[in-house]
Structures are given as C-alpha cells and as structure tokens.
Amino acid sequence: MLRLTKKADYGLMALKYLAEQAFVAEHAGPNATGARSAKDIAEAYHIPPQLLAKILQTLARAGLLVSHAGTNGGYALARSAANISAFEVIRAIDGPLFITSCITIHGTCDLAGHCTIKEPLRKVNDSITDLLAGIKIADLIEPTDHLPAAMAGGLVSIER
Amino acid sequence: MLRLTKKADYGLMALKYLAEQAFVAEHAGPNATGARSAKDIAEAYHIPPQLLAKILQTLARAGLLVSHAGTNGGYALARSAANISAFEVIRAIDGPLFITSCITIHGTCDLAGHCTIKEPLRKVNDSITDLLAGIKIADLIEPTDHLPAAMAGGLVSIER
DNA sequence: CCATGTACGACCATTTCAGTCTTGCTTCCG
DNA sequence: CGGAAGCAAGACTGAAATGGTCGTACATGG
Ligand code: SF4
Ligand code: SF4
C-alpha cells in the first residue's frame, strides 16, 4: 500500500542535506551560498550519483532548487527550508499521482460511473495531501529528540 | 506517489457492497445473511470476476469476511461495517507495505545507517496509518452529502 | 450426482521503478 | 584560450510489481 518511490526518498534526503548546508552557510558568512554539487550529496548518502543528478534536475525544473553550472556550481534551495513542503517534493518527482487511478486524470478508470467508493476515497486522498503539505523539510532537520513542529503541535484537520 | 493498488480499490468496493447487503438483510428478516457470491459483486461493479474472487479469498483468510461454499453460498462481513477499517482491508490485500522500504522489514534499505530522514518519515507513515485506521467501511456508505464520521469531526493527531 | 460456488496456485502481459550510459552545454579559473 | 567541473536531457536496460487469466480441486445444497 501507499508506497513512496525511492526517488522521492532520495529527493527528500537531498533537500534535507541542502537545508543543512544553507543553515551553516548562513551562519558562516554573507556570501556563502550553501550550494552543493550532485556528486557531493550522492557521496554523503551513498546513493547512485547519476540517479541523484537526475532527481535534482527534476527538482530544479520544478522550481524547488536553483542550479548553477560550471566549476564550483551545484544546487541550492530556491526557498527557505521552512517553506518547502514534502508534498511539493514528492509531487515534483513522482508526478501528480494519487491513491486511486481516477482522481488525477478524470477518465482513467473505466468504472468511473458506477464506482461508489470514489468520492469517499477522494477525501482520504485530500487528507493525506494535507498531511504531507503540512510537513516542511525544515521539520525533518531537527536532532531527532525535538519533534518537528507540524508533529509536535500535533493536530491537523482532515476535513476538506 | 502514494498509490493504492487496484486490488485494494476493488476490495473496498466489495466490502462496501457487502455492508449494504448486510444492512438490507438486517431489515428484511432475521434469517437473511446478506451473503453474496463473488460473481454477483463483480457484475455489480463490472470488475473481472476471477480477480475479485481472489481478493475476496484473501479478505476471508484475513478474517474480514466469512465465506460459505456451495449453492447459495458467498461472502458476508465477518464483523459489523462500523468495525472494519480501511486500513485493515488495504493491509490484508497489499500486505504490510509502507511508504518507505525501511519501515516494515528492518534491513531492506542498505542505507539504513546513514539515512537521516528515516525517523521523520516513519512518523508520517504512522500518521497515514492512523488516518486510514480511523476510516471504517461504514463511513463510505452514506449518501455522499453526509460526511464520514472520521472526517466530519475532523481532527486527527499526527503525533505518535 | 450435479450445479453452484469457494480455494488455491501457477502462469502471463504490461507497466513502473531504479539505475546506467551517452552526449551536449555552461561557467569558472588559471 | 582551453580545459575541468558541473549541470541538462534523453535513450536505454534489467528487475520487480501489478493486473489479470486459467485450471483444477474441494464443499455443499438440492
Ligand atoms: S473510479 Fe472507483 S474503481 Fe476507479 S479508480 Fe476511482 S475509486 Fe477506484
Ligand atoms: S533507510 Fe532512509 S533511504 Fe532507506 S528506505 Fe528508509 S528512509 Fe528511505
């Protein structure tokens, strides 16, 4: 059920890494960008560099990252870490796929008409979306004992 | 992202159908069982009968349905419709798969050690689980304008 | 004993995922 | 200027999951 692709997984990791870099850069000096090359990130987490590169490209195209080519180039967050949600990352990488086949592209599932379960499921889907949207990558940077904000406060409406 | 398999989809539909049957049976007479054959359900929703049969068998094995072979046999809910959660159905059909590769079987993902994103993701996973667990099949039987209980009340803690 | 129905497993086609390779373009730096 | 470092983009491949079929065996009511 509900599987997150490894690519999205990698994407999240990379984002987190860049967020950390941005954080230290901010405290290091005014002209530090926090940019890192795809290779650097890949090495840090032991994931295939080429694959990560492609993921980062996708993320950049989606506007979540800014890229800079050439020597000493690399990627950096386009926005503040607290301003990028896990949902955006996932959607950028895996596409606007949702739990059922019918929700995104109207007409995919041939049982559209006589499906009685579609509407309720759409609500569930929305709930999950909201949940994910409420989680920012800044939330997953803390040192594990301090709960992420979205989770610490603890309540998320699933009404939509 | 987060895709629900079609089998689970079918399973949910069948469950809902059975729930409806149980409801009318209850109001029809004391000895009405509400049992329906796999073929009946498949025809009602235009889904491949053989496939549905297999799904129902799985569900029965998981204890969500009771089956009765022979003429006039079929499947019926093992419990009350308000007492079966969507989560159980999905898990019974798709297995205990979860969003990341690491959560269920400890040791699947080879990056286990240096993965910094694992714990936060586990929390997200739990949140989704809770959300799903809070949705009973009775909730998706209502005539669409009345929101399911789990959604109407509207608040679910994602702290775990 | 036979029609109806479940039970179970093997099988197959198609799609998706994960990962690699190749080729080209951009920018910095000496 | 000219390379090295780096991004950009696409084609391609192997492996796995999905969705679905078939065949056979067993149970049960009439
Ligand atoms: S229309 Fe119904 S059966 Fe088809 S994908 Fe949507 S929920 Fe599933
Ligand atoms: S250990 Fe990290 S990379 Fe591996 S599956 Fe879990 S979250 Fe993803």
Side-chain angles (χ1 to χ4, degrees):
Chain A
M1 65 173 280
L2 297 177
R3 192 149 105 263
L4 199 55
T5 69
K6 224 155 194 178
K7 287 186 191 177
D9 207 352
Y10 292 161
L12 256 351
M13 288 199 279
L15 263 284
K16 177 187 167 181
Y17 183 84
L18 288 179
E20 287 170 343
Q21 295 306 320
F23 184 76
V24 309
E26 187 182 329
H27 288 250
N31 48 1
T33 81
R36 286 301 166 116
S37 79
K39 206 185 65 169
D40 285 351
I41 307 178
E43 274 170 9
Y45 291 107
H46 302 96
I47 60 188
Q50 312 231 43
L51 183 52
L52 206 244
K54 239 182 14 183
I55 295 172
L56 292 177
Q57 285 166 27
T58 314
L59 253 16
R61 225 175 303 139
L64 298 180
L65 293 178
V66 287
S67 64
H68 190 77
T71 332
N72 269 60
Y75 296 90
L77 297 185
R79 285 178 256 157
S80 130
N83 229 17
I84 304 183
S85 71
F87 174 69
E88 292 178 275
V89 179
I90 296 172
R91 187 183 45 189
I93 296 176
D94 285 348
L97 271 246
F98 279 89
I99 56 173
T100 52
S101 322
C102 51
I103 288 176
T104 30
I105 303 106
H106 186 59
T108 299
C109 182
D110 37 338
L111 331 158
H114 29 75
C115 175
T116 56
I117 229 169
K118 180 170 137 189
E119 263 308 300
L121 274 189
R122 200 183 51 70
K123 295 210 184 71
V124 175
N125 187 67
D126 285 350
S127 307
I128 296 179
T129 301
D130 287 352
L131 173 61
L132 251 16
I135 299 185
K136 314 297 184 180
I137 54 166
D139 292 336
L140 31 89
I141 198 177
E142 355 270 79
T144 62
D145 56 319
H146 173 270
L147 283 171
M151 296 176 169
L155 294 184
V156 164
S157 169
I158 59 171
E159 163 73 280
R160 163 59 68 99
Chain B
M1 66 174 278
L2 297 177
R3 191 147 108 265
L4 199 57
T5 68
K6 224 157 193 175
K7 287 186 191 177
D9 206 352
Y10 291 160
L12 257 351
M13 288 198 281
L15 263 284
K16 177 187 167 181
Y17 183 84
L18 256 354
E20 286 169 344
Q21 294 307 318
F23 184 77
V24 309
E26 186 182 330
H27 287 252
N31 48 0
T33 82
R36 285 303 166 114
S37 80
K39 206 184 66 169
D40 284 352
I41 307 178
E43 273 170 11
Y45 291 108
H46 302 95
I47 60 189
Q50 314 231 43
L51 183 53
L52 206 242
K54 237 181 16 182
I55 295 172
L56 292 177
Q57 286 165 27
T58 313
L59 254 17
R61 225 174 303 141
L64 298 179
L65 292 179
V66 288
S67 64
H68 190 77
T71 334
N72 269 58
Y75 296 90
L77 297 186
R79 286 178 255 156
S80 127
N83 229 17
I84 304 181
S85 72
F87 174 69
E88 292 178 275
V89 180
I90 296 171
R91 187 184 46 186
I93 295 176
D94 285 347
L97 273 245
F98 278 90
I99 57 174
T100 53
S101 321
C102 52
I103 288 175
T104 30
I105 305 106
H106 185 60
T108 300
C109 183
D110 36 340
L111 331 159
H114 29 76
C115 175
T116 55
I117 230 170
K118 179 170 137 188
E119 264 308 300
L121 273 190
R122 202 183 50 72
K123 294 209 186 71
V124 175
N125 188 66
D126 285 351
S127 308
I128 297 180
T129 302
D130 286 352
L131 173 61
L132 249 17
I135 300 184
K136 314 295 185 181
I137 55 165
D139 292 337
L140 31 87
I141 198 176
E142 355 269 76
T144 62
D145 56 319
H146 174 271
L147 282 174
M151 296 174 168
L155 295 184
V156 163
S157 169
I158 58 172
E159 163 75 278
R160 165 55 69 100

